Amino acid sequence: KAGVTQTPRYLIKTRGQQVTLSCSPISGHRSVSWYQQTPGQGLQFLFEYFSETQRNKGNFPGRFSGRQFSNSRSEMNVSTLELGDSALYLCASSLKGGGTEAFFGQGTRLTVV
Amino acid sequence: AQSVTQPDIHITVSEGASLELRCNYSYGATPYLFWYVQSPGQGLQLLLKYFSGDTLVQGIKGFEAEFKRSQSSFNLRKPSVHWSDAAEYFCAVGLYHNTDKLIFGTGTRLQVFP
């Protein structure tokens, strides 16, 4: 059974650009969450989707957005990139959302220059 | 507010020694509790979880953790550490039954000397 797949693994973008990251959950999983990991702030929750609906959102500016498709795949978008957006972005999937464990992908390393 | 504290930023042990990583949480009810491990440049791998029931839980790679409600703790243990255990370890709290949102601790970096 394939794990959580995140693409691309690495990205380099320029300030002011926008970026889209993709996450394919484990087959059958309906919940996808996104996290930002930086050395200074650690692991911070971005948002969570279940059955194409955003259920929770972390304390990030509106430049960060996401969506989930009918096949449970999810994308997150960051517009008007800032240097501080450089981070490892992790996606996690779980079977039904709540009360089950979350499995993480390898992450996308975003560098903003 | 809910929070997770891992008081040890960095721990160094000799190979074969025992290990205990500390985790304390702040939450009004009994949360779901997790330990994850992360190797450099990689994602998070689930070591073990506690949802309810037996307070001593077994995980992968020979790890175990004990939930102590009175101390709001969920410490991770391993009787004999291997060099391959060197990594960063994160304790996390899941807050509600209908969400997967996790609150993570700041992590403990484990270094293993031969």
Side-chain angles (χ1 to χ4, degrees), chain B residues 14 34 40-41 47 51 62-63 65 76 87-88:
Chain B
S14 298
F34 307 87
L47 283 175
F51 288 164
F63 285 94
L76 181 71
E88 189 146 23

Side-chain angles (χ1 to χ4, degrees), chain A residues 34-51:
Chain A
W34 289 88
Y35 294 82
Q36 181 195 65
Q37 185 178 27
T38 60
Q41 299 298 316
L43 281 153
Q44 293 189 288
F45 172 79
L46 278 159
F47 25 65
E48 174 191 8
Y49 289 88
F50 182 78
S51 294

